[in-house]
Amino acid sequence: MRLRYQLMIPAMMAAMAVQAQSIQLDNHAVPAGKKGAAAGKLYDRQGTVLKSAKLAQDTSGLFTISKGQLKLKKNAKLSNDPASFKYAVTVENGGAKEDFIIVRDDFHRNKIVAHRGAWKNNGGSQNSITSFRDAVRIGCEGSEFDVWLSSDGVPVLSHDPHIGGHTVEETPLATLQAVQLKNGDRVPTFEEYIQEAMKQNTTKLVLELKPSKTGRGQELAQKCMDLIRKYRCEGWMLYISFDYDICKKVNAIDPFAKVAYLNGDKTPAQLAADKIWGFDYNWKVIDKTPGIIADAHKNKVTVNIWTVNEADKMEAYLKAGADYLTTDEPELALEKSK
């Protein structure tokens, strides 16, 4: 009986973590220069609009809540000041309070996602802070990166399950960060990546949550979402995974998270039924499935295609209506997206 109780504790804690956010916001960004622009609607855990929610704190003095919608005041608009693009607010409803950061929406709309950052034609290592900075510098809409759990439970970046001769999931963070990468880079944590990303508001983070061979996929998703909530960086985030249960876990924690599935074995209708925001399929899947892009849009599912490195394919997929292209050649793709 005691053993059974002990086994129940992790499941109970996970369930409690999923339910931690009592007030949810469906969008965290506001465009500049538009008076009275809306950030998003406020909901409870059951998906009901919180029409009685109130603004408990707003240091900018720019926001209000009307009929459950967080928005700028009637005559207020965000400035274009490059040094000021984050706005902290606290929302109250029935005694519950939640903090949010609203980001001014200057994010690019060119459809190009740098695969593991912009590393191939620059000096940085894949999945490094340097390659992310280069993706921002050249103007990508998104920068994709891969995250695993270290053996001591820290979300850490690496594309492959091994790095520097170490198995990521079996190695503590300190050992992983001692690995020497190209150009003086080191293996970053997801937390460090968030901190870097929030210094700008033009390139989004595309977080790939890696399937776990040690059975810790759900733990990885929870810890990443906990960090996102800690920094209140939802406005910067997109999510992808080959593990469908991880996709659903992220959605369970944040029903408004923009989550795309990578594996290629679900139809747009199946994704829509599970409230998965999009698919991010390999170009071979796209080529073998005529009409899948149109079918996705019919089901209100977004389309990302990986890894598209050839100019003719970039042109074809953009013409066909792809919402995003993930590429190792972001400079070339940016030219094609014009």
Side-chain angles (χ1 to χ4, degrees):
M1 184 70 179
R2 182 178 179 182
L3 176 60
R4 182 182 176 186
Y5 177 72
Q6 290 174 332
L7 290 172
M8 288 173 62
I9 290 175
M12 291 168 62
M13 293 299 292
M16 290 171 65
V18 168
Q19 295 295 328
Q21 193 172 338
S22 57
I23 301 173
Q24 295 171 329
L25 184 61
D26 66 359
N27 188 37
H28 299 78
V30 175
K34 186 177 180 181
K35 291 183 179 180
K41 287 186 177 180
L42 297 155
Y43 296 83
D44 64 14
R45 295 172 187 160
Q46 289 71 44
T48 302
V49 176
L50 296 175
K51 294 184 178 180
S52 60
K54 298 179 181 180
L55 202 57
Q57 187 173 4
D58 169 23
T59 54
S60 71
L62 296 172
F63 292 88
T64 187
I65 296 176
S66 176
K67 298 179 180 178
Q69 188 175 57
L70 179 64
K71 58 191 297 185
L72 293 173
K73 292 178 179 178
K74 186 176 180 180
N75 293 316
K77 62 181 181 179
L78 304 185
S79 75
N80 289 306
D81 182 357
S84 178
F85 53 83
K86 293 179 286 189
Y87 305 88
V89 299
T90 302
V91 175
E92 183 176 14
N93 185 73
K97 288 185 178 181
E98 290 288 349
D99 299 323
F100 300 98
I101 286 182
I102 308 302
V103 58
R104 189 181 69 223
D105 188 354
D106 295 334
F107 294 106
H108 298 301
R109 299 291 197 276
N110 53 44
K111 304 186 176 185
I112 305 308
V113 176
H115 187 223
R116 311 174 202 170
W119 56 273
K120 188 173 182 180
N121 303 305
N122 299 282
S125 301
Q126 300 177 30
N127 279 311
S128 67
I129 297 293
T130 300
S131 65
F132 171 73
R133 288 173 178 164
D134 283 330
V136 173
R137 177 182 55 80
I138 66 175
C140 294
E141 181 164 348
S143 185
E144 183 266 357
F145 59 103
D146 310 271
V147 174
W148 307 77
L149 277 183
S150 66
S151 64
D152 45 353
V154 180
V156 63
L157 273 65
S158 174
H159 176 264
D160 296 331
H162 303 87
I163 191 167
H166 303 285
T167 301
V168 177
E169 290 195 283
E170 298 174 1
T171 307
L173 175 65
T175 301
L176 292 171
Q177 292 203 306
V179 173
Q180 294 297 308
L181 303 178
K182 185 175 67 173
N183 195 39
D185 289 324
R186 65 174 175 80
V187 176
T189 66
F190 177 43
E191 186 166 15
E192 291 168 338
Y193 220 69
I194 289 173
Q195 292 169 339
E196 182 65 29
M198 293 182 74
K199 296 176 183 178
Q200 55 83 49
N201 64 325
T202 58
T203 298
K204 291 209 171 189
L205 295 184
V206 183
L207 164 61
E208 180 176 342
L209 297 138
K210 302 297 282 190
S212 171
K213 292 184 178 180
T214 60
R216 294 190 297 163
Q218 299 289 295
E219 181 185 355
L220 171 65
Q222 184 67 62
K223 286 194 171 182
C224 286
M225 296 303 285
D226 287 345
L227 283 169
I228 289 163
R229 191 65 199 134
K230 173 184 175 181
Y231 285 94
R232 305 192 296 281
C233 62
E234 292 92 342
W236 283 260
M237 299 303 306
L238 302 175
Y239 310 83
I240 56 176
S241 185
F242 281 98
D243 186 327
Y244 203 58
D245 287 335
I246 286 179
C247 291
K248 292 195 286 188
K249 173 74 169 182
V250 172
N251 266 1
I253 297 170
D254 180 0
F256 305 108
K258 294 179 177 179
V259 185
Y261 180 53
L262 285 164
N263 207 42
D265 59 349
K266 302 286 186 183
T267 67
Q270 288 173 310
L271 296 171
D274 285 334
K275 299 181 180 180
I276 301 298
W277 174 74
F279 69 64
D280 188 353
Y281 289 168
N282 183 266
W283 61 267
K284 295 177 183 179
V285 175
I286 305 302
D287 287 359
K288 290 178 181 178
T289 317
I292 192 172
I293 294 177
D295 190 25
H297 291 157
K298 179 181 176 181
N299 284 277
K300 298 182 180 180
V301 169
T302 59
V303 174
N304 193 348
I305 307 173
W306 62 270
T307 301
V308 186
N309 294 332
E310 298 176 5
D312 58 341
K313 287 190 176 296
M314 292 174 184
E315 291 173 352
Y317 297 141
L318 289 169
K319 186 176 180 180
D323 299 293
Y324 303 94
L325 295 182
T326 297
T327 177
D328 294 323
E329 302 282 358
E331 294 87 353
L332 174 60
L334 286 168
E335 286 298 317
K336 297 301 178 183
S337 73
K338 292 179 181 178

